[in-house]
Amino acid sequence: MYGLGFLITIGVFVMALVALSKISKLESRLAQLKLQLGNLADDVAKMRGTGLAPTPPSVTAKAAELPKPVEPKAAEPAEVPPAAKWQPAAAPARPKRDMEQALASRWFVWIGGVAIAIGGLLFVKYAYDEGLIPPALQIILGLLLGGALVAAGEALRRKPLSQPVAGLQPDYVPQALAAAGFVTAFGSIYASYALYELVAPLVAFIGLAALGLGALALSLRQGPMIAALGLLGSYVTPSLIPSPDPNAWSFFPYLLAILAASFAILRLRPWWWLGYAAIAGSALWALLWLGGGVFETPDIPAIGLFALALGGIATFAIAGRVILEEASGTLLAPKLMTQPLVIAIAGLAAAALVLAVLVGESDHAALALVIFVAGMAGLVALAWFKDGLALLAPAAALLSLVVLMAWREAAFHEFAMDESGLWTSLLGGDAAQFLRWMLAAAFAFTLTGLAGLRLKIAPVIWSALAAGSALCFVVAAWGRVDGLLSAMAWAAPGAGYALALIVAGWSMRARLAEKPVDLACGILASGAAALILFTLDRLFDGVWLTIAIAALAAAYAYGTNIIAVRLLGPIAVALASLAALRLFISHQLWFDDRTLPLGQHWVIYGYGVPVLLFLAASRWLKSAGQLRAAMSLEGLSLGLAISLVSLELRVLIGGGVTEDEPRLLEMAAHILTWLAAAYGLMYRQQVFSSFISRWGARLLIAGSGAAIVLLSLLALNPVVSGDPVPGNLVFNALLLAYLAPVILLGLIARKLAGIGWDKLRPAAGLLALVLALAYVTLETKRVFQGPVMVPWSETIAESYAYSAVWLASALALFIAGIRLARQYIRYAGLAVMVLVVLKVFLSDMSDLEGLYRIASFI
């Protein structure tokens, strides 16, 4: 009795929905007539403004002659050709609807449909809990109710008032009823399996799958909501009814059928969300199969073929070969891509992800790798036949590199900081197989890139594929299984691929006037440089590798005079900078390697050869018009030349490159070298102005001044450090540390205007005066105290001698100022004289006695 009343209630509710739908449609037709009358009134008003308006009775006549709404035939919608269906078109203007109309025509309808579906499912559960109806009869009634709702929705859709009208919203009641029917039938079949155990799992699975696919098919007549319901039900079915013995050969064809059905609908209806949802559902199930503990080695062909089919269907199912035409869009302009192309890219990405995971989960089984290669070949083929998809080729190469590098059994690594490098590696059982696959991939992608460079219209992308593949696959293979081959064997592929890239770039020299070709040749040259570096690193070590890199930089600089590729100059600068960095920071170069020619004096050629190479390279770059690169090489040459002299001084004076703290004599030699180099650059600046000369001189002067103040006058001053002064009474370290810089500072002060520092001339003069005064003072102390000196005076004669030598210095400055007619020199003498007077009155009066005191005042 309760069940019969419940069914009657559902029937009454369905009739109410039907009545509500008809009322809503009538209101919509009335709104359409009002809209047409309003447009007609606007036209009449415009015609009156131009003097062409008819008389008022004609308005009535026109209104009477309005065409009656034509009832559309209940025929199947005509199929639109796929090539024209997805072309962008302007959406028709829709009349505004108020909240009341929206609630009545859409939301209440769908709420009612959901209520019916829930009511049907609750009825099944209620009958089960109360035992009112036998289980078999409950299932039959549920299926009958579901079928009746689907039939009612389809019948209502065929009614004239349910047909879509231009400018108005469609009637959602048929869709709501059909959706409620499918949900009710879906729940009934599932209950027959899960609650009552009336049917076998396979029968229930087939029933649920048939319902899902049936909903997808019916969506062509009912609308997108039914398609969404069918797709959801199809993908949920495997999780509701899991198989006790899952079989990939039965599961993945099922997924493929759902995917094919979804894209068959997309050929006729532009429901783009359906394509994305189908791709996502298929890929998700494949990934769950691979990572859920179900995957076994025999599943490889089923999953691999499914992934290939996924990519193929997503690419060609909607528009066919039209997707390869230029009108479908390009990856370089994502906003202009058509929806079929976007869906194709999404499908290809999903398929590539499934193939990559398949290879990893199968421990890089041979069959999985073969299928993966087929997928990557498909991506490259698409890139080849459609220029707008050329980026797919580098993407395939990058994914291949990642997948192969994840080969677990190739080698095992542990981080370690030792003399052999940053890590230690142990070869695995698949090391040889891994190397073969890596070298094969390098060959295939490099050859494809070089062919695309010659034959296709996107040379930059194809050159990047060639150069990147040759470099990355070879270097990555060495990084994992370096112990598998000798150093010479590893150098062979690096040199071979470098030569191939250079030859390919040379063959394109006739088209260098085209900017893309020029950039493409630069990319090839960059890849070749990196590969040659890899080769040199296998063949040389230590200082010889540095010299080889410097020679390579010079070769690229010379190449700018042979082939006008703009990137050759920056490549030469990068290589030269690498060589300079190695000379300064490489730990291999800072040990006393007695096996090198000249022993500790290896810096003569270790730095000298790069200096000469960089200087020549700067000249070649300047002649080729690459002034920025030439300036950089010139600066590096200057820096290495100064470093060469400084390091050789360390060896000659300090005892070796590895000695820690420099002494006063060594620092004096360094400062004199820097000041001399600064003066040379300032002289060159007067002859030939350049950025390097100006800023090189500035940096050297600033560094020398800081070293003089902080080291010579303070930290390394003999009276501060207590170190003995090398040399005899006259020719000693004091002469080089304090007197010699005075001469260079005087010469530099005269040319400061040439580098824009003329305002610093007084500062240079002051520093020279301080150095001269320090020299005479320390030299006097050396006479009285010997090589080891203390800050205070040890004898009265020593104290008197300071006054005497300062007075003599002041008089010398006065005479020099008068002879040279330089007022600032006379001021310097006056300053020293003031110092003498202060010493006499403040110090000598109390410290000196007898004749020394009298002589001091006189």
Side-chain angles (χ1 to χ4, degrees):
M1 186 66 182
Y2 293 106
L4 180 60
F6 189 77
L7 291 177
I8 294 174
T9 302
I10 292 178
V12 171
F13 193 74
V14 171
M15 295 174 64
L17 282 177
V18 174
L20 182 61
S21 173
K22 292 184 176 181
I23 294 173
S24 175
K25 274 297 177 181
L26 290 175
E27 290 179 350
S28 298
R29 292 297 174 85
L30 182 60
Q32 183 187 24
L33 292 176
K34 289 180 180 180
L35 179 62
Q36 292 178 354
L37 287 175
N39 293 336
L40 181 60
D42 293 339
D43 293 340
V44 171
K46 291 179 181 179
M47 295 174 66
R48 284 179 178 175
T50 59
L52 300 176
T55 57
S58 63
V59 177
T60 307
K62 285 191 175 184
E65 294 173 2
L66 284 175
K68 297 181 180 180
V70 180
E71 301 293 344
K73 297 180 180 180
E76 297 297 327
E79 182 175 352
V80 182
K85 178 181 59 178
W86 46 265
Q87 294 294 338
R94 293 182 178 180
K96 295 183 179 179
R97 302 191 310 152
D98 55 15
M99 181 61 68
E100 180 182 1
Q101 186 179 3
L103 289 174
S105 62
R106 177 183 292 186
W107 298 110
F108 283 167
V109 173
W110 281 108
I111 291 174
V114 172
I116 291 176
I118 295 176
L121 296 176
L122 290 177
F123 169 70
V124 173
K125 185 178 185 303
Y126 176 79
Y128 169 76
D129 294 336
E130 300 295 330
L132 301 177
I133 305 175
L137 183 57
Q138 294 175 22
I139 299 303
I140 293 174
L141 290 176
L143 291 175
L144 291 176
L145 176 60
L149 291 174
V150 173
E154 179 62 15
L156 187 59
R157 185 194 65 83
R158 294 176 178 272
K159 297 295 181 181
L161 290 179
S162 297
Q163 298 300 319
V165 178
L168 297 178
Q169 292 291 333
D171 185 8
Y172 291 101
V173 172
Q175 296 185 53
L177 291 176
F182 276 110
V183 172
T184 302
F186 199 91
S188 299
I189 294 177
Y190 182 69
S192 67
Y193 158 75
L195 296 179
Y196 305 133
E197 298 182 356
L198 296 176
V199 296
L202 179 60
V203 175
F205 182 88
I206 294 174
L208 294 179
L211 279 177
L213 295 175
L216 284 174
L218 187 62
S219 66
L220 290 173
R221 305 165 68 88
Q222 291 280 4
M225 300 303 176
I226 303 300
L229 180 65
L231 188 65
L232 178 63
S234 300
Y235 281 132
V236 168
T237 296
S239 63
L240 295 178
I241 306 178
S243 173
D245 186 19
N247 186 351
W249 285 105
S250 60
F251 178 69
F252 284 97
Y254 167 74
L255 292 180
L256 190 60
I258 299 173
L259 185 70
S262 301
F263 275 85
I265 294 173
L266 271 180
R267 288 185 61 88
L268 304 174
R269 299 290 187 272
W271 301 336
W272 308 121
W273 58 266
L274 184 62
Y276 298 119
I279 292 171
S282 299
L284 181 61
W285 267 116
L287 295 176
L288 288 175
W289 186 283
L290 288 169
V294 183
F295 172 73
E296 297 178 353
T297 302
D299 300 340
I300 292 176
I303 302 175
L305 294 176
F306 168 76
L308 296 178
L310 170 61
I313 290 174
T315 304
F316 296 106
I318 301 178
R321 289 184 57 85
V322 179
I323 201 71
L324 299 178
E325 296 180 0
E326 184 179 357
S328 64
T330 171
L331 283 174
L332 299 178
K335 293 183 179 180
L336 301 179
M337 292 168 56
T338 58
Q339 280 295 334
L341 183 60
V342 177
I343 292 176
I345 298 302
L348 292 173
L353 177 61
V354 172
L355 290 176
V357 176
L358 174 63
V359 174
E361 292 297 323
S362 66
D363 289 331
H364 289 73
L367 181 57
L369 285 170
V370 170
I371 297 176
F372 177 81
V373 168
M376 297 304 101
L379 291 180
V380 174
L382 288 174
W384 186 271
F385 290 110
K386 179 176 174 59
D387 294 315
L389 299 180
L391 285 174
L392 290 179
L398 180 60
L399 182 60
S400 301
L401 178 64
V402 172
V403 169
L404 291 176
M405 286 298 291
W407 201 319
R408 289 188 291 268
E409 297 299 325
F412 306 96
H413 304 276
E414 290 184 359
F415 285 101
M417 299 294 292
D418 53 24
E419 64 277 359
S420 63
L422 296 179
W423 67 80
T424 57
S425 60
L426 178 65
L427 296 178
D430 293 343
Q433 188 178 0
F434 163 79
L435 180 59
R436 287 194 294 268
W437 278 98
M438 290 289 284
L439 294 181
F443 178 80
F445 283 114
T446 303
L447 183 63
T448 303
L450 295 179
L453 177 65
R454 296 283 299 178
L455 303 176
K456 307 304 293 182
I457 65 172
V460 174
I461 296 176
W462 294 103
S463 64
L465 173 64
S469 299
L471 174 64
C472 294
F473 280 98
V474 173
V475 175
W478 166 81
R480 290 215 66 190
V481 293
D482 58 316
L484 194 61
L485 300 177
S486 65
M488 186 66 70
W490 281 115
Y497 281 121
L499 179 61
L501 296 181
I502 292 174
V503 171
W506 177 260
S507 67
M508 301 290 290
R509 65 188 184 280
R511 296 173 54 191
L512 285 179
E514 306 172 23
K515 289 186 177 180
V517 175
D518 181 42
L519 179 58
C521 291
I523 294 174
L524 293 177
S526 301
L531 285 165
I532 295 174
L533 278 179
F534 172 77
T535 303
L536 294 176
D537 190 47
R538 308 280 71 75
L539 301 177
F540 302 103
D541 198 6
V543 65
W544 306 117
L545 176 60
T546 302
I547 295 176
I549 296 174
L552 180 61
Y556 266 82
Y558 182 76
T560 57
N561 292 275
I562 300 176
I563 182 171
V565 177
R566 297 297 302 173
L567 276 181
L568 290 184
I571 295 171
V573 173
L575 292 171
S577 301
L578 177 60
L581 286 175
R582 280 186 54 82
L583 288 172
F584 285 113
I585 67 175
S586 177
H587 68 280
Q588 296 179 357
L589 303 180
W590 294 103
F591 293 105
D592 292 331
D593 189 356
R594 305 292 179 176
T595 62
L596 289 174
L598 302 182
Q600 288 185 320
H601 296 278
W602 66 266
V603 294
I604 295 177
Y605 56 85
Y607 280 73
V609 172
V611 166
L612 297 176
L613 290 173
F614 294 166
L615 186 60
S618 68
R619 299 295 184 268
W620 293 328
L621 289 170
K622 190 176 297 182
S623 64
Q626 300 202 24
L627 299 182
R628 289 182 179 273
M631 186 185 307
S632 301
L633 267 297
E634 186 179 355
L636 288 173
S637 177
L638 174 63
L640 289 178
I642 296 174
S643 301
L644 167 61
V645 176
S646 299
L647 291 173
E648 188 62 21
L649 288 174
R650 287 227 72 192
V651 176
L652 293 173
I653 302 175
V657 176
T658 58
E659 292 294 326
D660 294 331
E661 298 180 359
R663 303 296 181 181
L664 180 63
L665 180 60
E666 181 185 346
M667 183 51 60
H670 290 317
I671 292 173
L672 290 175
T673 301
W674 301 341
L675 289 175
Y679 182 75
L681 290 175
M682 295 170 76
Y683 181 81
R684 184 176 183 273
Q685 177 71 6
Q686 288 183 335
V687 179
F688 176 75
S689 178
S690 70
F691 177 86
I692 295 299
S693 298
R694 182 170 64 255
W695 278 100
R698 288 179 175 182
L699 293 175
L700 287 171
I701 292 172
S704 301
I708 289 172
V709 174
L710 299 176
L711 298 176
S712 297
L713 293 175
L714 296 177
L716 299 180
N717 192 320
V719 300
V720 176
S721 63
D723 295 334
V725 178
N728 54 32
L729 192 61
V730 178
F731 298 101
N732 51 41
L734 299 177
L735 183 67
L736 294 177
Y738 299 103
L739 186 59
V742 172
I743 302 174
L744 289 174
L745 285 174
L747 295 174
I748 288 173
R750 299 176 59 186
K751 296 183 179 296
L752 284 174
I755 61 173
W757 276 11
D758 52 317
K759 293 183 180 181
L760 297 180
R761 185 175 297 173
L766 177 61
L767 182 58
L769 176 62
V770 172
L771 284 173
L773 192 59
Y775 172 73
V776 297
T777 303
L778 292 174
E779 183 64 25
T780 302
K781 189 177 287 291
R782 170 70 174 79
V783 172
F784 285 94
Q785 296 184 7
V788 180
M789 298 179 292
V790 295
W792 55 86
S793 300
E794 294 183 339
T795 64
I796 295 177
E798 178 185 351
S799 180
Y800 170 79
Y802 295 142
S803 299
V805 296
W806 291 355
L807 178 60
S809 300
L811 292 175
L813 289 172
F814 273 124
I815 295 172
I818 292 172
R819 292 286 182 90
L820 299 175
R822 296 289 189 270
Q823 187 181 33
Y824 62 88
I825 298 179
R826 297 196 299 271
Y827 281 164
L830 181 60
V832 176
M833 184 64 72
V834 171
L835 179 63
V836 174
V837 172
L838 291 176
K839 181 180 183 297
V840 168
F841 282 94
L842 298 180
S843 178
D844 292 356
M845 183 175 290
S846 59
D847 293 340
L848 300 182
E849 297 177 356
L851 294 177
Y852 285 110
R853 180 185 296 176
I854 296 171
S856 176
F857 276 88
I858 294 175

